[in-house]
């Protein structure tokens, strides 16, 4: 399912190109939940931020962070695209703060490389970043193949892949892992 966030905001009578404040985030989140009522288990939801110039930390907290939490409990995945450079910085800042204060990490996969030269936004380790980049480029791979690429033991790699799965930035299909 692809959701154009600007269109979603307009349906909620919110003016774009900037999505700022907690109240706006809550309103757009409620509209988004209506759309999510029809998704299937394990489905990927692509949030397209085309024509959105700025999203601030309050909006991110009320919209994206809540959706990421919902994704884990409701079994769906989230991917973003067309994130502006300013919004990328704001999202990353909120995700880093979340990990520092909530005793847990959150991250999102992107469709395209960001200004951070990564296929994700959030506080991933260098090893996690390398694995996610490898999967994004190669589309799918088993533990043995990724282990050869990363030069790490299977047991260590399995732990990292489990964490990336928990973060919902990769998923296991059959015996292989894929980027969301």
């Amino acid at each position: 399912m692809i959701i154009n966030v600007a269109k979603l905001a307009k349906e909620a009578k919110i003016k774009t190109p900037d999505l700022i404040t907690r109240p706006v985030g809550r309103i757009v989140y409620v509209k988004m939940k209506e759309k999510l009522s029809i998704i299937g288990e394990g489905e990927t939801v692509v949030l397209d931020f085309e024509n959105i110039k700025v999203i601030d930390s309050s909006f991110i907290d009320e919209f994206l962070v809540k959706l990421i939490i919902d994704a884990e409990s409701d079994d769906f995945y989230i991917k973003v695209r067309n994130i502006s450079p300013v919004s990328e910085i704001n999202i990353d800042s909120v995700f880093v703060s979340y990990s520092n204060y909530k005793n847990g990490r959150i991250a999102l996969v992107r469709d395209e490389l960001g200004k951070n030269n990564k296929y994700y936004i959030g506080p991933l380790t260098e090893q996690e970043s390398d694995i996610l980049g490898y999967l994004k480029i190669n589309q799918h791979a088993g533990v043995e193949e990724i282990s050869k690429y990363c030069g790490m033991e299977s047991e260590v790699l399995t732990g990292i892949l489990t964490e990336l799965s928990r973060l919902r930035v990769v998923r296991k299909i059959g015996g292989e892992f894929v980027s969301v």
Side-chain angles (χ1 to χ4, degrees):
M1 171 185 284
I2 299 172
I3 301 289
N4 182 302
V5 178
K7 190 175 176 182
L8 187 68
K10 285 181 182 163
E11 287 174 20
K13 312 237 184 303
I14 304 294
K15 292 183 180 183
T16 55
D18 300 334
L19 295 175
I20 56 175
T21 75
R22 286 189 184 283
V24 169
R26 285 185 206 115
I27 290 166
V28 177
Y29 172 77
V30 168
K31 266 292 191 210
M32 184 68 191
K33 288 296 281 183
E34 292 171 13
K35 302 275 186 198
L36 293 176
S37 66
I38 63 167
I39 65 168
E41 189 176 301
E43 189 170 339
T44 299
V45 176
V46 178
L47 299 175
D48 189 340
F49 285 86
E50 186 177 31
N51 299 321
I52 301 294
K53 293 187 180 188
V54 175
I55 55 177
D56 76 345
S57 57
S58 295
F59 179 88
I60 294 161
D61 224 14
E62 295 294 333
F63 180 70
L64 278 177
V65 172
K66 285 183 178 179
L67 283 176
I68 291 167
I69 293 167
D70 289 348
E72 189 172 345
S73 61
D74 297 343
D75 192 23
F76 64 93
Y77 295 85
I78 301 170
K79 184 188 295 190
V80 295
R81 68 178 175 203
N82 296 316
I83 296 286
S84 72
V86 166
S87 296
E88 178 182 336
I89 291 166
N90 291 344
I91 293 168
D92 192 57
S93 175
V94 169
F95 288 7
V96 168
S97 291
Y98 183 93
S99 70
N100 289 334
Y101 298 107
K102 297 287 187 176
N103 200 20
R105 295 185 303 153
I106 55 175
L108 284 173
V109 172
R110 305 176 58 117
D111 247 1
E112 68 282 331
L113 270 175
K115 292 290 180 190
N116 64 359
N117 205 29
K118 308 278 186 220
Y119 284 106
Y120 66 90
I121 304 172
L124 299 186
T125 68
E126 188 176 332
Q127 289 175 325
E128 290 168 334
S129 177
D130 290 346
I131 293 165
L132 188 58
Y134 182 81
L135 289 172
K136 195 76 172 146
I137 291 166
N138 293 285
Q139 298 180 347
H140 59 86
V143 172
E144 188 176 316
E145 182 181 340
I146 300 169
S147 178
K148 286 178 186 173
Y149 167 76
C150 294
M152 66 177 72
E153 294 181 23
S154 296
E155 298 80 30
V156 173
L157 177 60
T158 300
I160 294 170
L161 287 167
T162 299
E163 177 62 8
L164 289 172
S165 295
R166 188 198 63 74
L167 289 169
R168 304 192 72 73
V169 295
V170 302
R171 69 172 90 183
K172 189 173 184 180
I173 298 176
E176 295 193 317
F177 289 87
V178 298
S179 173
V180 169

